[in-house]
Amino acid sequence: EIVMTQSPATLSVSPGERATLSCRASQSVSSSLAWYQQKPGQAPRLLIYGASTRATGIPARFSGSGSGTEFTLTISSLQSEDFAVYYCQQYKSWPPLTFGGGTKVEIK
Amino acid sequence: QVQLVESGGDVVQPGRSLRLSCATSGFTFTTYGVHWVRQAPGKGLEWVAGISYDGSEKYYADSVKGRFSISRDISKNTLYLQLDSLNSGDTALYYCARESGAHGSLPRFDHWGQGTLVTVSS
């Protein structure tokens, strides 16, 4: 099973600032990596797939990078609606599909 | 538009069974794989089970293998999850989610339902 580790667990950022979230895989997942955003009381929303491709309707301030075992989600200028929990998920080697433990982006 | 609507969640005693449903619409059910993902209260996401677009393959997390069973009814465009021998560790919000690409492309999820809550408690 591929273990996904996200850091930090919590990120405190001021609106308008840049946020950088990390995701590490226990073995290479190539570019088979997705990012999701989840707000309280809502289902997750797909942001990024293929490590760097934005999903339909996702604003350009969200970008993904990385391959192999190290990945980054960057939010270039945080808006109020971006404060949420973010999860990475690998789909290179499954079952099982595996998610990271999440990074909560909170208002500083 | 694509919709997935879960139902069937309930409060059940340990050892009992439950069947969850996920009614889908807005897409061709037989061309997309669909999965169940759960989230325990205050915790992260855990993939539970999935079924391939043509129904020929079923996949399970080790934590539920032998206790849960995924199936579908293509005449009703509905996905099911049969949960047997439930324990407190199965308490969670259960989401159904559709793969983002048709015909067995890589399983990331572009559409999710709102979830149905399963509580296992005596």
Side-chain angles (χ1 to χ4, degrees):
Chain A
E1 171 177 333
I2 298 178
V3 177
M4 307 301 293
T5 303
Q6 292 187 242
S7 62
T10 303
L11 187 62
S12 298
V13 186
S14 299
E17 289 189 339
R18 182 186 198 90
T20 303
L21 290 67
S22 295
C23 175
R24 175 176 294 177
S26 61
Q27 62 191 76
S28 177
V29 299
S30 186
S31 295
S32 298
L33 192 284
W35 290 95
Y36 300 87
Q37 176 194 66
Q38 187 179 34
K39 298 179 182 179
Q42 295 185 17
R45 177 174 72 144
L46 179 66
L47 297 176
I48 301 284
Y49 63 90
S52 60
T53 302
R54 278 189 302 277
T56 302
I58 302 304
R61 64 180 182 272
F62 292 92
S63 64
S65 64
S67 66
T69 62
E70 301 283 343
F71 301 89
T72 301
L73 175 69
T74 302
I75 311 171
S76 60
S77 175
L78 269 160
Q79 306 298 301
S80 57
E81 62 266 30
D82 300 335
F83 293 96
V85 180
Y86 293 82
Y87 296 95
C88 60
Q89 177 226 334
Q90 70 82 20
Y91 50 93
K92 174 65 174 178
S93 176
W94 71 286
L97 295 166
T98 49
F99 292 88
T103 291
K104 181 180 181 180
V105 177
E106 64 176 25
I107 300 174
K108 186 174 182 180
Chain B
Q1 72 278 24
V2 174
Q3 285 194 308
L4 301 97
V5 179
E6 304 93 337
S7 61
D10 204 350
V11 178
V12 295
Q13 294 180 328
R16 304 299 291 264
S17 298
L18 204 58
R19 189 177 82 156
L20 307 183
S21 300
C22 171
T24 74
S25 60
F27 67 99
T28 304
F29 189 58
T30 53
T31 59
Y32 288 85
V34 197
H35 298 246
W36 291 96
V37 176
R38 69 184 180 183
Q39 187 168 36
K43 302 298 184 182
L45 302 171
E46 179 189 15
W47 175 79
V48 174
I51 188 166
S52 61
Y53 73 97
D54 59 1
S56 65
E57 301 289 337
K58 300 178 181 181
Y59 310 95
Y60 299 94
D62 284 348
S63 58
V64 307
K65 199 173 293 182
R67 299 189 300 120
F68 290 9
S69 179
I70 190 170
S71 62
R72 68 180 193 173
D73 184 336
I74 61 175
S75 70
K76 296 181 179 179
N77 291 337
T78 298
L79 177 74
Y80 301 102
L81 187 67
Q82 177 69 35
L83 292 67
D84 296 327
S85 302
L86 284 160
N87 60 61
S88 59
D90 298 317
T91 293
L93 186 64
Y94 285 73
Y95 294 103
C96 59
R98 192 197 78 166
E99 294 183 6
S100 64
H103 297 110
S105 60
L106 303 173
R108 61 262 179 164
F109 307 123
D110 63 349
H111 288 90
W112 297 65
Q114 284 304 302
T116 187
L117 183 62
V118 174
T119 303
V120 183
S121 173
S122 54

